[in-house]
Amino acid sequence: MSRQFSILEDICLNSARRIQHIPMLAARCEDTRFTGILKKQWEEYCGIHEEARKLLSWKGGGQPQDSEFSRVTAQAATNFRTLTDHSVSRLAELRIQDSSQGLTDVIRSLHQKQAPEAERQLAERLRSLEEAHIREMREYL
């Protein structure tokens, strides 16, 4: 049986997945403007991740992590999806899919879990960030 994560743990996992995924896409990109946008997005996820990690630590919790299998599978999927097409349009499509999943996850957490206001505000910031990234990537389709 899987364990129920708190909103903070969900935020940590969600942001960690984006932090892992974005550099894989940036490494395949030859457009410096697009790579700059990916870097900015990566830094935004790092900021939210660090805030969630600090709050978890302050509460005495540990930082949740995806399994090694999940990380390797995600990396293989990215490699496969960009094998023959690593155009900016394709990379933007993958970022939209990634942010859409993150948006779904954070909305689900907000609806299903009780949490102190500070944690809910951080989740709302992540939600807003995912929405902004989707809008930003649409320009490149």
Side-chain angles (χ1 to χ4, degrees):
M1 177 182 260
S2 64
R3 115 186 198 2
Q4 182 78 358
F5 289 117
S6 72
I7 284 182
L8 281 178
E9 290 169 318
D10 287 346
I11 293 168
C12 274
L13 283 171
N14 189 323
S15 56
R17 290 172 184 147
R18 308 308 163 247
I19 290 167
Q20 175 192 2
H21 191 238
I22 289 174
M24 289 187 277
L25 297 179
R28 290 159 178 76
C29 185
E30 298 173 6
D31 182 309
T32 55
R33 181 171 175 255
F34 189 77
T35 302
I37 291 168
L38 291 176
K39 183 179 187 294
K40 177 188 69 78
Q41 290 182 356
W42 182 82
E43 289 169 349
E44 291 168 339
Y45 286 118
C46 286
I48 286 189
H49 183 79
E50 183 63 17
E51 283 186 55
R53 191 192 62 70
K54 283 180 182 177
L55 283 170
L56 269 173
S57 177
W58 181 76
K59 291 176 74 171
Q63 181 178 329
Q65 295 182 351
D66 278 328
S67 69
E68 184 64 24
F69 178 77
S70 293
R71 287 191 295 271
V72 169
T73 302
Q75 187 172 3
T78 298
N79 288 337
F80 180 75
R81 291 179 188 153
T82 59
L83 187 63
T84 59
D85 181 6
H86 54 269
S87 65
V88 168
S89 176
R90 179 64 174 150
L91 299 177
E93 178 184 353
L94 293 174
R95 276 295 300 127
I96 289 170
Q97 291 170 359
D98 199 32
S99 282
S100 294
Q101 182 61 54
L103 184 58
T104 300
D105 293 344
V106 75
I107 290 171
R108 182 179 295 122
S109 288
L110 284 165
H111 284 281
Q112 293 178 351
K113 299 175 182 177
Q114 299 296 318
E117 187 59 27
E119 294 176 25
R120 295 190 74 73
Q121 285 177 356
L122 188 58
E124 286 292 345
R125 279 186 44 215
L126 180 57
R127 182 192 56 76
S128 294
L129 186 68
E130 297 289 16
E131 290 171 342
H133 289 176
I134 291 168
R135 283 190 303 274
E136 195 170 35
M137 289 292 111
R138 284 181 185 159
E139 296 176 28
Y140 291 93
L141 292 178

